[in-house]
Amino acid sequence: MTLPSDNVRHFAITSELDLRVAVTSVFRLPMLGDADPADRSTIATIVSELGSNILKYARRGCVELVRTDSSDAAVVEVRAFDRGPGIADVDLAMYDHASTGGTLGLGLPGVSRLA
C-alpha cells in the first residue's frame, strides 16, 4: 500500500539538534492535526527516546512517523531505523532496568508502555 506523502514524515537523526527538531516538529505536523495535545506529547516523547537511543548506540539513523486511517481510528506508527550494533536479547531489553549500555534501562520499556 502506498501512503500519501502527507501521511509519512522522516526525521534524519545525526545530532542532538536533529533530535530536538524532530521532537518539536511533532507538535505542528499536519498529519497530527486532529490529535489532542496529550497525544502529541506522547508521540514526541516516543520520538525523543527512540532518537536518543539512535544517537547513543548507532550515532545516526532516522525516525519515521506513518499515519494510517481506518473507519475506527487513526493510527500513528513511530519507527526507528539505524545501523547500530543491535540488541542481543530484545525480550530482555523490554524489561525495566535491563541495560547493556550502562543506563537505567527504562527507555524501551517506557516507549512500549506509552505506545
Side-chain angles (χ1 to χ4, degrees):
M1 167 168 81
T2 303
L3 297 171
S5 61
D6 58 345
N7 285 348
V8 178
R9 182 65 164 90
H10 300 272
F11 296 100
I13 307 293
T14 62
S15 68
E16 288 289 333
L17 179 59
D18 289 341
L19 181 54
R20 282 189 223 127
V21 168
V23 170
T24 58
S25 293
V26 167
F27 292 96
R28 55 182 194 279
L29 284 175
M31 69 190 294
L32 300 177
D34 55 349
D36 65 35
D39 288 338
R40 287 176 186 250
S41 290
T42 298
I43 294 167
T45 301
I46 291 169
V47 168
S48 177
E49 183 56 40
L50 295 177
S52 293
N53 282 357
I54 287 170
L55 291 175
K56 198 178 306 177
Y57 298 108
R59 295 193 177 166
R60 63 182 54 235
C62 75
V63 175
E64 174 183 84
L65 277 70
V66 179
R67 178 183 171 136
T68 55
D69 293 294
S70 70
S71 59
D72 295 329
V75 173
V76 176
E77 290 183 61
V78 181
R79 304 171 181 168
F81 303 94
D82 64 55
R83 295 188 181 269
I87 300 171
D89 188 340
V90 175
D91 291 333
L92 179 62
M94 298 310 291
Y95 285 95
D96 286 342
H97 306 293
S99 173
T100 58
T103 64
L104 293 175
L106 297 172
L108 291 179
V111 165
S112 179
R113 283 190 293 272
L114 287 171

